Amino acid sequence: MQPRRGKCDGQKVIVNVSIKFGKNATRTIGSLSGNPSSSPAGSRNPRAAAPVAPGEVVETAEGVCRFPGQRLSWWQAQESCEQRFGHLPLVPPEGILAARLRDTVWAAQREANRRRPPQRRVRSAAALVFGERSAERAARLRTALPALAALTACAHVQWDATSSAAAALFSLAAPALPNALQLRAFAEPRGAVRAALVVRGHHAPFRAAFRADGRWHHVCATWEQRGGSWALFADGRLRAGARGLAAGRPVPPGGVLVLGQDQDSLGGGFSARDAFSGNLTDFHLWARALSPSQLRRAQACAPPPGGLLFRWDPAALDVTPALLPAVRLRLLCPVPSEECPTWNPGTRAEGSESCLQPRPFLCCHGTETYRQLQAARSWPGQDFIRRVNALANATVLLPDPLSGAHGALSLAEASSFLGILERVLAEEAAPLGPAALLAVLRFLRRAVALGAGEPEPLLEPWERLGRGVVSVASLILEERSAGAWLAVRKVVGGPMVLVASVQHLAPLLSTVLSPEQPRVHIQHCHAGLEVRSLRLEEAGPRDYVFTMPGGHPEGPGHIVIPAGEVRRLLGKGLSGVTMIHSWFTSSILQYTLGEPGLERQAPTSTDQASTVQRSQSTQVGSAVISSEVRDAAGEVSTAVTFHLQHQAQASPQRLVEPVCAFWNFSPGRDAGGSWASRGCSVTALYPDSTACFCNHSTSFAVLLQVWDVQRGPEEDSLLRTLSFVGCGVSFCALTTSFLLFLAAGVPTSERTTVHKNLTFSLASAEGFLMASEWAQASQVACVAVTAAMHFLFLVAFSWMLVEGLLLWSKVVAVSMRPGSRMRFYYAMGWGVPVLIVAVTLAVSRRDYVAAGHCWLSVHTDAIWAFVGPVLFVLAANTCILVRVVLVTVSSARRRARMLSPQPCLQQQLWIQIRATVKPVLVLLPILGLTWVVGILVHLSPAWACAAVGLNSIQGPYIFLIYSAYNGEVRSALQRMMGKKAATEGPVAPESPQPSPPLQSLRDRPWS
């Protein structure tokens, strides 16, 4: 008996759904034919509204929805909507439309994975065809089994419904115990297949496991020595179970496992009476009892590796000649739990049900998208549609993108129609019209959706279908079709719809892979696909490199799955995976896949980093390359690196900035997705190519952000010169100030200690800033210099804040309790910056340093580890300065009244101006408020020059005010000079020294 077509029943998937309710008014706008609907859309009593009629179209606040009137599974409903360029409802219908729905309807998966909605997975497997009962058909495991205190056996079985006598699906015989383990079953006529487990000769009762319908079913039996617990599962559900079966004693060691026969002696004694009749595949045996959730994983073609004694591999079996050759077939494996989102109009609540349950549904579009689809019937391209349909003698291409397909499409028909499409597209001289392009895209979606059907024996048409789809995709990506793509861009989301179709097709092609044919490679001018089976243990933990046609494994045009990711897959117990890569190269990608809203990324060179730009546009600058790794359970995300070629910088007035990006597929939206850059970063830059790293696998490209340069090379050169000279002057002044504080022997106090820490940290930061130009040659040196500057500038600003707090304590809050606060100041000045830099390096290692120069990346979150603290310090010190000025003005006013009870108006103004200007001029440098101008550098080169100049004079200003003209420093220097003179001759009397600035303020706290 050959394997029959069937399906896996009883599977469920749990999908996390978050559906937000909205207040959506609705109105009927007509049916597909364009005639007004007779439904009572304007009724004052929605509850009395008639049910929605099949084919009726209703406009809501969220868009336009059509009610097809069919009852389909979730996947079929989703595919039906996608073929009409729509989607299931993202928001539950409200108002009149909700009142007119009578049954629960499917809803879109709002929190979908990055690639596409959940789907049943296709797996290729070798099946043993036992046919009629015979003692000549058996498969024996070559390896003897150990003693089993617990076990689980699972298999996909197609039971011969005409075989009513009990038979052994498998048996295990030990040297002294022929009936150590068996799973026996028989089929009731037009009823159920009843199964029973036999352990150590103890027979459990026969229980109904699944229907005798000739379909494939997944059967599992578990047993544990402790308590003799046993259970029988079929299609993921518990069918029977109890305790007390051969409790207390294990299955003896040295057992021989035989599939399809009952052993009356060790490894033999077969009889046709007890032989299995049917087909068997995917048999697994564990030395433990699996839990229900683990059994669902096994049913999903993802057997848990723990305790696995035998993984299905016919090469590990001694198969009798009558069973050869094994037949390869496709198994449609459910995901471990299949529940899809629904909406109940009766309770107005979201829920979930089995995805296989037939349900009504709505197909929705954005309002503008629906209008364009309606107008597509009058778009150019109808002649092409008629020509293809005439050649095929069937309705292959539908002129109305909103209409339903005519009849079912078989695999052979799809492959034949694709051949006709290839021929007509290749011969077509005129550009493809937008209506024809929509029709071709819709047919491609129908073709790749064939994989959601029931299992079939593997035949050549699957590969033929794949070659046809990729060939047609390549032909419609020719440059002459650019006008049609631009016309339908807002309807289908551009050429990425082709990428989605090819990726949908790729898992189907993996079913044709075998040890004799481990690879399917399809290559055309503008598109290509490779599906390869890889045995990880044989390949070893090494980089897996895929190179596009015309690319180089060490240059542009390749994508790499690093060796570390391969080791991670091996660590997960995966022995074999399927590598899927596709690529698309066409100028149409550049024309139609721009992304004006993409966040700007880090500049990629020193010139870019130091120039001021205004964004003009973002476009795809490279080929689109995709990477996907799949195991038996589905997609496995891996990190990748890729290197793609793009256009070089063309004009000095228009800056081209590469961005590593991926296409974020968004099922349930008209656009189909959008470009994003989360988790991707630039690793190397070249004049006409870029190397990238991304922490996940999907479809990638290098986007080019075009910037209008507002600062030319002359201004940039001037700013560099000013910055270097200014830093040098500031560094010398600060170093001199610090050495004076040390050498002059200034009496130790909080003020002088704070001044020393400020001048030391700021001088060190300026020194590293000057050296940063030479650190660009080495990546390690650049990161080290960046971290050092980050730390030292944070330390400097922290001590500027300490200066402000000290000023506050001396001038404003004079009543604060006395006592040294230096421990607190040291913790703030040095401890907090250490913590900030350490956390930033730990969190943003890859995005820490900007491309092109040694400083924090100003276009990632890393920059906020510097800007945030600096803004806080500047805001705090500004408030402190304002308060100090108010106190100073008030004190000056009181002093003036004491000296002159009735001063004139001019004298009062002069006193207040002098009391305001002096503290501002003296305190600005140590409080760091000159850095405020740095916020405005992006406005124009003039502001950039002003910021450089103000920050450059901070060092000389501190030297003059707090060293050269500081009374304590000068007195200390004179004492030092006096001691030196005393050793050489008479000592001159000490002359009075000028007072430090702001003599009138309390205690001169900032000197």
Side-chain angles (χ1 to χ4, degrees):
M1 183 179 70
Q2 296 298 316
R4 303 175 184 173
R5 297 179 54 166
K7 64 181 180 180
C8 302
D9 301 326
Q11 299 94 9
K12 294 186 178 180
V13 157
I14 296 175
V15 178
N16 293 326
V17 188
S18 174
I19 300 181
K20 181 174 68 177
F21 287 82
K23 297 180 179 179
N24 305 330
T26 61
R27 65 186 180 89
T28 303
I29 63 172
S31 64
L32 283 175
S33 63
N35 299 323
S37 173
S38 59
S39 60
S43 174
R44 296 181 178 272
N45 182 12
R47 296 184 180 278
V52 182
E56 187 174 345
V57 180
V58 179
E59 187 174 15
T60 72
E62 299 294 331
V64 177
C65 294
R66 176 181 177 273
F67 183 68
Q70 299 172 285
R71 302 177 74 91
L72 301 176
S73 70
W74 190 89
W75 288 287
Q76 292 171 330
Q78 176 77 355
E79 288 163 357
S80 176
C81 292
E82 286 181 347
Q83 288 175 24
R84 294 178 174 86
F85 308 103
H87 52 79
L88 296 174
L90 293 167
V91 177
E94 288 286 340
I96 296 174
L97 178 58
R100 298 178 61 199
L101 292 172
R102 294 295 182 260
D103 294 322
T104 299
V105 295
W106 291 123
Q109 186 181 7
R110 294 181 59 85
E111 295 183 2
N113 57 23
R114 190 173 57 254
R115 299 293 299 276
R116 49 184 174 263
Q119 60 183 13
R120 303 175 80 185
R121 292 183 271 275
V122 183
R123 183 187 174 203
S124 171
L128 298 179
V129 181
F130 285 85
E132 296 179 355
R133 292 173 178 261
S134 169
E136 303 300 322
R137 297 185 178 95
R140 171 178 169 171
L141 182 63
R142 298 191 185 103
T143 306
L145 297 175
L148 299 175
L151 61 91
T152 300
C154 294
H156 277 93
V157 179
Q158 194 177 34
W159 201 276
D160 184 0
T162 63
S163 178
S164 58
L169 184 63
F170 67 87
S171 64
L172 190 155
L177 189 62
N179 293 323
L181 178 69
Q182 286 187 40
L183 182 62
R184 300 178 64 82
F186 68 91
E188 296 176 329
R190 295 182 301 278
V193 173
R194 293 183 170 271
L197 187 64
V198 180
V199 182
R200 296 186 61 88
H202 299 274
H203 206 300
F206 283 98
R207 293 287 184 263
F210 51 87
R211 292 188 59 81
D213 51 11
R215 297 176 181 269
W216 285 96
H217 295 274
H218 189 255
V219 181
C220 291
T222 67
W223 174 81
E224 288 183 280
Q225 168 188 336
R226 186 176 56 187
S229 299
W230 64 275
L232 180 66
F233 289 79
D235 298 324
R237 298 180 180 179
L238 177 65
R239 305 298 183 176
R243 296 175 61 87
L245 181 64
R249 299 181 66 185
V251 175
V256 174
L257 177 69
V258 174
L259 303 180
Q261 295 287 349
D262 177 13
Q263 303 176 64
D264 290 336
S265 60
L266 187 64
F270 307 149
S271 67
R273 182 188 58 189
D274 295 320
F276 167 60
S277 176
N279 304 309
L280 181 148
T281 186
D282 208 32
F283 180 87
H284 291 75
L285 181 67
W286 291 264
R288 64 188 181 109
L290 299 185
S291 65
S293 62
Q294 292 170 330
L295 290 171
R296 285 192 291 271
R297 283 194 59 196
Q299 182 196 8
C301 304
L308 188 58
L309 291 176
F310 174 69
R311 181 189 294 270
W312 178 242
D313 183 6
L317 301 171
D318 286 327
V319 182
T320 57
L323 270 179
L324 295 175
V327 177
R328 298 195 65 83
L329 53 78
R330 295 171 58 245
L331 284 177
L332 286 186
C333 307
V335 288
S337 53
E338 291 181 334
E339 289 195 358
C340 293
T342 60
W343 187 76
N344 188 326
T347 61
R348 304 294 177 96
E350 71 271 25
S352 61
E353 292 186 10
S354 169
C355 299
L356 301 178
Q357 180 74 21
R359 281 286 172 198
F361 60 97
L362 296 166
C363 285
C364 299
H365 305 79
T367 303
E368 183 58 30
T369 299
Y370 184 79
R371 303 294 182 195
Q372 292 191 32
L373 288 172
Q374 279 189 314
R377 287 173 286 190
S378 60
W379 285 355
Q382 299 295 336
D383 291 342
F384 178 89
I385 295 174
R386 285 191 288 269
R387 190 180 320 125
V388 171
N389 289 341
L391 287 173
N393 195 24
T395 306
V396 178
L397 303 183
L398 300 174
D400 183 0
L402 293 171
S403 65
H406 299 286
L409 183 68
S410 69
L411 179 60
E413 289 173 335
S415 299
S416 174
F417 294 158
L418 284 169
I420 295 172
L421 263 178
E422 287 181 67
R423 188 168 67 252
V424 176
L425 284 169
E427 296 171 353
E428 183 72 15
L432 196 64
L437 179 59
L438 280 180
V440 172
L441 292 175
R442 183 172 181 184
F443 179 75
L444 290 180
R445 283 184 164 177
R446 286 187 67 197
V448 300
L450 291 173
E454 295 182 346
E456 298 180 13
L458 287 178
L459 298 172
E460 182 185 354
W462 283 112
E463 185 173 349
R464 182 184 170 195
L465 178 78
R467 296 188 180 278
V469 169
V470 177
S471 175
V472 170
S474 177
L475 289 169
I476 61 178
L477 281 176
E478 292 183 353
E479 190 170 358
R480 62 179 179 172
S481 303
W485 279 107
L486 288 172
V488 304
R489 175 186 176 188
K490 293 184 178 179
V491 177
V492 300
M496 293 307 291
V497 67
L498 292 177
V499 179
S501 295
V502 171
Q503 289 179 348
H504 199 161
L505 170 72
L508 301 177
L509 292 180
S510 66
T511 64
V512 308
L513 301 180
S514 65
E516 295 75 25
Q517 184 186 2
R519 185 182 80 142
V520 172
H521 183 85
I522 306 171
Q523 179 179 334
H524 291 277
C525 182
H526 298 295
L529 172 67
E530 180 179 280
V531 183
R532 179 190 292 268
S533 176
L534 183 67
R535 302 294 297 179
L536 294 177
E537 296 176 350
E538 297 174 4
R542 58 176 178 84
D543 290 349
Y544 181 83
V545 183
F546 170 76
T547 305
M548 293 170 50
H552 193 277
E554 296 181 358
H558 75 269
I559 189 167
V560 179
I561 299 174
E565 292 296 298
V566 177
R567 280 193 295 270
R568 185 175 65 84
L569 297 178
L570 283 168
K572 293 176 64 175
L574 300 179
S575 59
V577 294
T578 301
M579 303 284 191
I580 300 173
H581 293 95
S582 59
W583 66 95
F584 301 83
T585 58
S586 171
S587 58
I588 288 178
L589 300 172
Q590 284 77 41
Y591 296 150
T592 60
L593 286 179
E595 189 73 13
L598 189 72
E599 180 184 359
R600 185 187 177 200
Q601 299 300 299
T604 52
S605 71
T606 304
D607 294 336
Q608 295 178 18
S610 57
T611 54
V612 179
Q613 311 98 18
R614 179 175 292 120
S615 175
Q616 285 189 334
S617 64
T618 300
Q619 64 185 28
V620 175
S622 70
V624 174
I625 189 168
S626 302
S627 175
E628 183 179 352
V629 179
R630 299 179 69 89
D631 67 352
E635 185 179 352
V636 180
S637 183
T638 61
V640 298
T641 61
F642 58 93
H643 188 179
L644 296 176
Q645 193 163 17
H646 55 75
Q647 71 182 61
Q649 178 76 38
S651 169
Q653 298 303 316
R654 297 188 70 191
L655 183 67
V656 176
E657 184 177 317
V659 178
C660 300
F662 67 94
W663 184 259
N664 188 13
F665 289 92
S666 300
R669 302 186 187 278
D670 295 330
S674 60
W675 290 110
S677 57
R678 295 184 307 275
C680 295
S681 59
V682 174
T683 59
L685 280 170
Y686 305 93
D688 60 349
S689 64
T690 298
C692 303
F693 167 85
C694 286
N695 60 11
H696 53 268
S697 53
T698 180
S699 299
F700 305 100
V702 174
L703 306 188
L704 298 180
Q705 289 183 314
V706 182
W707 302 89
D708 194 12
V709 178
Q710 295 179 288
R711 189 167 74 218
E714 296 80 8
E715 292 95 342
D716 183 59
S717 177
L718 176 62
L719 280 174
R720 286 192 183 185
T721 303
L722 287 177
S723 298
F724 189 82
V725 173
C727 283
V729 172
S730 182
F731 173 77
C732 293
L734 290 168
T735 303
T736 304
S737 299
F738 179 71
L739 293 176
L740 280 175
F741 279 118
L742 292 180
V746 178
T748 301
S749 67
E750 287 184 342
R751 288 173 295 174
T752 57
T753 303
V754 172
H755 291 343
K756 289 176 186 177
N757 282 275
L758 174 59
T759 54
F760 173 78
S761 58
L762 198 53
S764 302
E766 301 278 8
F768 275 102
L769 182 59
M770 289 189 294
S772 63
E773 289 289 331
W774 291 279
Q776 295 181 26
S778 170
Q779 184 178 2
V780 175
C782 191
V783 173
V785 169
T786 300
M789 287 195 297
H790 184 197
F791 171 67
L792 289 170
F793 273 116
L794 284 181
V795 170
F797 275 97
S798 299
W799 284 107
M800 291 177 197
L801 179 60
V802 171
E803 292 273 12
L805 295 176
L806 184 63
L807 183 63
W808 179 277
S809 68
K810 300 296 184 181
V811 177
V812 180
V814 293
S815 60
M816 292 178 65
R817 65 180 180 84
S820 176
R821 292 173 290 274
M822 287 310 301
R823 287 187 177 180
F824 170 71
Y825 292 157
Y826 274 115
M828 179 181 294
W830 295 96
V832 173
V834 168
L835 182 63
I836 293 175
V837 173
V839 172
T840 307
L841 283 171
V843 173
S844 305
R845 286 181 298 174
R846 291 187 176 274
D847 301 328
Y848 185 68
V849 179
H853 62 279
C854 299
W855 181 235
L856 299 176
S857 177
V858 297
H859 302 295
T860 64
D861 292 337
I863 190 61
W864 288 104
F866 177 73
V867 174
V870 168
L871 291 177
F872 173 77
V873 170
L874 295 179
N877 281 354
T878 301
C879 296
I880 290 172
L881 180 60
V882 170
R883 183 61 177 148
V884 167
V885 169
L886 292 177
V887 171
T888 305
V889 171
S890 178
S891 298
R893 190 183 297 120
R894 287 197 301 270
R895 187 179 303 105
R897 287 201 198 97
M898 292 174 60
L899 297 176
S900 177
Q902 292 183 342
C904 64
L905 179 60
Q906 185 177 0
Q907 187 178 5
Q908 291 180 13
L909 288 175
W910 172 248
I911 291 171
Q912 292 185 19
I913 291 173
R914 186 170 180 273
T916 302
V917 172
K918 272 195 172 184
V920 170
L921 292 177
V922 172
L923 297 175
L924 273 177
I926 64 166
L927 297 183
L929 298 183
T930 54
W931 288 74
V932 174
V933 184
I935 301 174
L936 307 176
V937 295
H938 66 283
L939 296 179
S940 70
W943 282 108
C945 291
V948 170
L950 286 173
N951 293 331
S952 297
I953 66 172
Q954 185 180 18
Y957 210 91
I958 291 176
F959 169 74
L960 291 173
I961 300 298
Y962 296 97
S963 296
Y965 289 98
N966 184 287
E968 289 183 348
V969 175
R970 296 181 62 164
S971 298
L973 285 173
Q974 288 191 353
R975 285 195 301 271
M976 185 178 68
M977 297 300 293
K979 290 179 181 179
K980 183 178 180 182
T983 62
E984 299 175 356
V987 180
E990 186 175 304
S991 59
Q993 302 300 321
S995 300
L998 297 184
Q999 181 71 28
S1000 59
L1001 287 183
R1002 303 175 187 172
D1003 298 331
R1004 301 184 296 278
W1006 45 81
S1007 57

